[in-house]
Amino acid sequence: MVNSVDTSKGKAFPGLFNNPHKDVTGHGTHVAGLIAAKKASENTDRINGINGLVPNAKVVSIKIVNKSGFTTLGHLGNAWNYVSHPSTGAQSNDVILMALGSIQNINVCETFGNVLVERLRNLASEGVYIVMSAGNCELDPNGVCIGTRNSLQNWPGCISGPNIFTIGSIDNTNTTIGGISNFSFYGQPSVDFLSPGNNVLSCRPGNGYIRYSGSSMSAAVFAGLLYSVDGWPSDAIRFQEYLNPLDT
């Protein structure tokens, strides 16, 4: 992973004494590894690494969460100012992964953080691909979601538009591909695609490996696929009809 990270462009918000390349939660390292990890060798005698979808793809770390996994709209706004800069920010065909979310009322998707929504859509209109996680619910002891699983409650993943993709999780832990993961939000709008997000192996800080589950992992898998083909081939590929297998 180290060789994949462009340390010259990484930023942290707030920036004072905050190293953008020091992962205090393990979340960023895990999703980045799914995209860009490169196995050290092909020695099969021991576990010595994994390959992401695009080994050694260039990754820029934009850190806005604290060690508890929380951030503010202000920090997110500063991050968007940075990635939107016309000369030093994201360029056409770049992929931005936003593996984060805030639970909001389903009726306020467009009005909550409306300035940030406008910036996001402006950047997407310039050919930058925005990939966001659909969101996860809290599970009870029986593995049943507590509350609704409507993806429109997860901001900014509820936002839709050209070059903007929200990714839910499909349960990949069985011998055959199952249905939507029991933790994943879903719905159309705003979920565009599903990708594997259950018990996914990737990197952790300290040169190790760990399995995590979540729509963040699903979004990272999709972001890697999008990066690997250098762009979105056609909007015709988006789901035209959505049938939730949990409802059948």
Side-chain angles (χ1 to χ4, degrees):
M1 272 300 300
V2 174
N3 294 331
S4 299
V5 180
D6 187 344
T7 57
S8 68
K9 293 185 177 180
K11 284 286 185 180
F13 302 96
L16 187 63
F17 306 120
N18 193 0
N19 183 350
H21 304 114
K22 182 179 181 180
D23 187 353
V24 294
T25 67
H27 183 270
T29 300
H30 196 273
V31 295
L34 288 171
I35 299 170
K38 171 66 176 177
K39 192 174 183 179
S41 72
E42 295 303 321
N43 180 1
T44 58
D45 295 334
R46 61 188 178 88
I47 297 177
N48 54 24
I50 62 170
N51 282 330
L53 280 91
V54 190
N56 278 344
K58 284 303 177 185
V59 174
V60 176
S61 173
I62 309 297
K63 179 181 175 183
I64 62 171
V65 300
N66 60 24
K67 63 182 179 181
S68 299
F70 294 102
T71 189
T72 68
L73 278 178
H75 297 333
L76 182 58
N78 288 333
W80 271 105
N81 286 339
Y82 180 70
V83 300
S84 302
H85 193 280
S87 59
T88 59
Q91 304 298 310
S92 180
N93 280 344
D94 282 350
V95 180
I96 294 177
L97 171 62
M98 297 180 66
L100 50 79
S102 171
I103 302 299
Q104 302 294 330
N105 186 289
I106 62 173
N107 298 315
V108 302
C109 179
E110 296 291 333
T111 57
F112 181 81
N114 59 318
V115 174
L116 295 181
V117 173
E118 182 180 2
R119 290 178 186 169
L120 185 151
R121 288 204 169 112
N122 287 342
L123 198 58
S125 70
E126 296 171 2
V128 176
Y129 299 101
I130 314 294
V131 179
M132 302 179 290
S133 50
N136 312 312
C137 65
E138 181 183 357
L139 300 178
D140 69 16
N142 296 316
V144 177
C145 180
I146 300 173
T148 177
R149 295 172 66 182
N150 190 331
S151 61
L152 288 175
Q153 69 184 309
N154 183 61
W155 190 92
C158 59
I159 302 166
S160 297
N163 294 336
I164 299 172
F165 303 92
T166 298
I167 313 301
S169 175
I170 193 170
D171 188 345
N172 56 294
T173 58
N174 297 315
T175 55
T176 58
I177 294 295
I180 298 174
S181 302
N182 63 340
F183 54 78
S184 178
F185 291 167
Y186 61 87
Q188 190 185 30
S190 58
V191 172
D192 298 288
F193 294 99
L194 305 172
S195 61
N198 280 72
N199 205 30
V200 182
L201 180 67
S202 187
C203 305
R204 66 171 176 83
N207 298 319
Y209 308 95
I210 193 169
R211 293 184 182 274
Y212 284 148
S213 296
S215 57
S216 290
M217 288 72 245
S218 306
V221 169
F222 184 85
L225 289 172
L226 196 59
Y227 184 91
S228 71
V229 297
D230 196 28
W232 180 241
S234 170
D235 258 0
I237 299 176
R238 287 182 188 259
F239 290 155
Q240 298 302 307
E241 295 184 1
Y242 183 87
L243 179 62
N244 173 24
L246 298 180
D247 293 336
T248 60

